[in-house]
Amino acid sequence: MKRVASGILPIIAVDRTISKALNRQIYDAYRAAIVDGRLRPGQRIPSTRVLASEIGVSRFPVLNAYAQLLAEGYLESRVGAGTVVSSSLPDQLTSSQPTGAPHVAARSGPRPVARRSPVLSRAEAMPWLLSWGAFRVGQVAFDQFPLHLWSGLIARRCRGMDAQSAHYGNLRGSQALRETIASYLKIARSVRCEAEQVMIVNGSQQALEIATRVLLNSGSQVWVEEPGYRLARDVFALNGCHPVPVSVDVEGLDVAAGIRKCRKARAAFVTPSHQFPLGVTMSASRRLQLVEWAQTSGSWIIEDDYDSEYRYESLPIASLQGLDAHSRVIYVGTFSKVLFPSLRLGYLVIPSDLVDRFHMIRRVMDLGPPTFYQDVLADFIEEGHFARHIRRMRVLYGKLRSALVDRLSRDLGSMVEVVGDEAGMHLTVMLQNGRPDVEVAERAARQNLSIWPLSPSYLGETRQGFILGFGGTTMTEIPSAVRKLRNLLATKSALLSDGTWS
Ligand SMILES: Cc1ncc(COP(=O)(O)O)c(C=O)c1O
């Protein structure tokens, strides 16, 4: 049985102007709430005194209605728990869907929705996003997170809450957190910024949404990496912009190809430190070309620096933003990889002259980020735990990545080519035989293997492969997970005579 909140008053409107007796009105309202599932079995209902006072009647009709509901078995009395909705109600009596869920009447007339929603893909169509198996992309090694310490900081902040901290926070995020982020970015990522330019957001996904609303119009063309990060493309499409795929090679986004294709694009979305999904690092010359293009064509660059803290064979690469003397780069970062994704905290670094614009849009969107975890996070960073955690995780992820690369080459050999393993928490394997990656990923999800197919990352001509996350996969899981992948790829029955896969 689902856990249900207790003592919450259902909407019971009594109307004294109608002839129906008050006790009957209360009885009918409760019965309806139980039958259509708004009140669930086991849920406690308010005492007669509380209900009478809430709906402004004497206790008598309430007592009367409760007695009737008890007698008919809708309610039961439990010692020490008061009156609850009967736990023995037959399933057919209570709807499994709460009211408000889509009980669409057959003839309810046209139900128009905005034209833009069909441009988006449904998560249900991508079972690899829903499965909780090895190689889940974006999963961190949460068992290594200093939870005890984190809980201590939460408790301390909670005890210190007052009327001011419970009120609306700063629209662009807490001053303390913005200052710590600004100094971290200056040192660790060579970002040129002051705290005034930092805006705390609900993950980098929100950063993209805000930046799009501020900088782009419906119909604007935006360079996106090909292959690239699908959720970024979706933000642009949702806002009526046209993503223009620009190929990625060993040096990152091919700027010359972008210029040939669409010189006048209004913006470029790039992941230069660790291209998603191929994992290449954008070369210095490409970075300079990109910045130069943005300056001459009056375009913007959105730099998504989502996992650059973890580099294994060299020092972290400086940000693109730090190279740009013309303030054309909007820098986006996230705590989803360095801490954990459910925190939903990320940040934007905004060119100084655009700060007000970003604030105006943000105000309308959500009045700013929730304040509590910002304060906890600011403490976590200031007290040195953040830097220590990154150092520890870099070592751990480095070992996981080496173990995975070794296993892949030992067990899959020439079936795949491993790319993009120098940084981050995922790598990509390119399939050498044109096997349909989506079909394999769907089957893998059913076998508790959470691999992302590569082909949906392309807008145009696709290549087949898989994105494998190793952050949340343990050393002991890797061998069996790679074996499982090999078995999936080796299912020869699906190979057709022309070399393609059924
Ligand atoms: C390219 C890229 N950017 C950003 C993110 C993180 O997004 P968020 O900060 O909204 O969790 C991810 C997560 O997988 C990603 O792959």
Side-chain angles (χ1 to χ4, degrees):
M1 189 187 296
K2 279 196 179 151
R3 277 177 59 114
V4 284
S6 297
I8 297 171
L9 287 175
I11 297 173
I12 294 185
V14 287
D15 185 350
R16 290 169 194 284
T17 62
I18 58 174
S19 58
K20 198 180 200 184
L22 287 177
N23 58 328
R24 187 71 209 183
Q25 291 187 42
I26 296 165
Y27 166 89
D28 283 349
Y30 262 107
R31 191 181 169 283
I34 292 169
V35 168
D36 71 16
R38 278 173 290 145
L39 285 173
R40 307 291 300 160
Q43 186 163 351
R44 205 164 83 207
I45 61 163
S47 69
T48 51
R49 193 184 310 278
V50 168
L51 184 66
S53 129
E54 285 288 333
I55 61 177
V57 299
S58 76
R59 267 182 84 198
F60 185 69
V62 180
L63 279 165
N64 216 313
Y66 277 25
Q68 186 67 26
L69 290 159
L70 280 160
E72 291 178 12
Y74 290 103
L75 300 181
E76 64 190 26
S77 296
R78 281 200 195 149
V79 182
T83 306
V84 300
V85 176
S86 180
S87 50
S88 57
L89 287 171
D91 280 351
Q92 306 91 293
L93 191 58
T94 53
S95 127
S96 57
Q97 299 244 343
T99 301
H103 286 305
V104 180
R107 281 188 297 278
S108 59
R111 309 175 64 76
V113 296
R115 221 176 295 126
R116 50 186 174 262
S117 43
V119 300
L120 306 176
S121 29
R122 298 173 68 86
E124 296 75 21
M126 297 179 271
W128 49 89
L129 293 183
L130 309 174
S131 103
W132 188 256
F135 300 143
R136 195 179 165 87
V137 177
Q139 193 186 333
V140 299
F142 191 67
D143 57 342
Q144 299 299 314
F145 184 73
L147 201 53
H148 184 68
L149 219 153
W150 181 254
S151 334
L153 298 178
I154 290 177
R156 194 173 77 196
R157 275 288 170 182
C158 213
R159 284 194 299 272
M161 274 190 77
D162 56 15
Q164 199 176 353
S165 55
H167 199 58
Y168 291 101
N170 189 324
L171 182 65
R172 35 190 162 145
S174 97
Q175 182 69 20
L177 183 58
R178 286 186 296 114
E179 277 170 12
T180 36
I181 289 175
S183 33
Y184 164 70
L185 292 178
K186 274 194 247 188
I187 299 166
R189 309 290 310 117
S190 305
V191 171
R192 306 178 196 211
C193 70
E194 300 305 328
E196 287 60 45
Q197 294 169 257
V198 177
M199 175 182 271
I200 309 296
V201 289
N202 186 7
S204 48
Q205 196 60 27
Q206 190 188 34
L208 299 182
E209 177 67 32
I210 302 174
T212 301
R213 291 191 188 198
V214 174
L215 306 174
L216 307 178
N217 293 314
S218 172
S220 294
Q221 291 175 303
V222 187
W223 289 1
V224 292
E225 295 165 322
E226 172 81 335
Y229 184 44
R230 191 176 176 144
L231 281 174
R233 261 174 15 212
D234 283 353
V235 171
F236 301 131
L238 184 64
N239 285 282
C241 306
H242 301 302
V244 177
V246 176
S247 57
V248 169
D249 61 19
V250 286
E251 288 192 71
L253 183 96
D254 185 345
V255 181
I259 294 172
R260 280 195 303 277
K261 213 168 184 183
C262 182
R263 174 187 288 276
K264 287 274 163 220
R266 177 87 169 223
F269 170 80
V270 283
T271 49
S273 304
H274 186 221
Q275 200 275 333
F276 190 92
L278 297 184
V280 286
T281 305
M282 191 185 262
S283 68
S285 64
R286 288 279 173 83
R287 286 169 191 247
L288 293 170
Q289 275 177 35
L290 184 62
V291 167
E292 174 65 22
W293 161 77
Q295 175 58 12
T296 51
S297 60
S299 310
W300 301 107
I301 299 169
I302 302 174
E303 175 180 15
D304 181 4
D305 204 15
Y306 63 104
D307 70 356
S308 55
E309 285 82 0
Y310 301 134
R311 277 203 88 77
Y312 307 115
E313 269 152 33
S314 61
L315 287 172
I317 310 280
S319 67
L320 180 65
Q321 195 266 14
L323 264 186
D324 166 31
H326 309 291
S327 294
R328 294 248 154 227
V329 177
I330 288 80
Y331 178 89
V332 176
T334 179
F335 290 101
S336 289
K337 310 282 178 184
V338 271
L339 297 179
F340 50 94
S342 70
L343 195 55
R344 304 312 300 137
L345 282 175
Y347 44 87
L348 271 161
V349 178
I350 308 164
S352 315
D353 57 329
L354 294 181
V355 165
D356 282 349
R357 292 260 158 196
F358 273 75
H359 290 176
M360 279 159 57
I361 297 284
R362 181 71 190 271
R363 169 166 288 115
V364 182
M365 286 174 70
D366 67 354
L367 295 176
T371 55
F372 184 78
Y373 282 103
Q374 292 185 63
D375 294 334
V376 174
L377 179 54
D379 295 344
F380 189 77
I381 300 175
E382 270 161 27
E383 294 175 20
H385 311 304
F386 182 65
R388 198 170 316 119
H389 182 61
I390 293 179
R391 281 198 300 274
R392 285 186 56 231
M393 298 318 284
R394 193 179 289 134
V395 173
L396 173 69
Y397 292 148
K399 288 182 182 158
L400 288 168
R401 162 248 188 193
S402 304
L404 177 57
V405 173
D406 286 352
R407 266 289 156 175
L408 287 168
S409 84
R410 189 183 322 166
D411 289 1
L412 297 183
S414 60
M415 285 167 102
V416 297
E417 179 198 355
V418 175
V419 297
D421 63 316
E422 293 126 52
M425 291 158 47
H426 69 267
L427 53 76
T428 296
V429 294
M430 313 290 288
L431 287 180
Q432 303 296 23
N433 59 9
R435 181 90 207 245
D437 54 4
V438 169
E439 183 242 337
V440 176
E442 279 168 357
R443 283 200 288 129
R446 288 197 291 274
Q447 294 181 27
N448 215 22
L449 201 61
S450 180
I451 53 179
W452 285 15
L454 178 65
S455 58
S457 306
Y458 289 83
L459 271 176
E461 197 184 327
T462 61
R463 285 199 62 187
Q464 313 291 310
F466 302 105
I467 307 167
L468 309 183
F470 51 81
T473 306
T474 61
M475 242 358 143
T476 46
E477 274 177 301
I478 288 176
S480 58
V482 172
R483 260 197 313 277
K484 222 184 244 184
L485 177 59
R486 185 190 58 198
N487 293 342
L488 281 161
L489 290 175
T491 312
K492 290 264 171 13
S493 58
L495 186 59
L496 299 174
S497 54
D498 65 357
T500 59
W501 295 83
S502 65

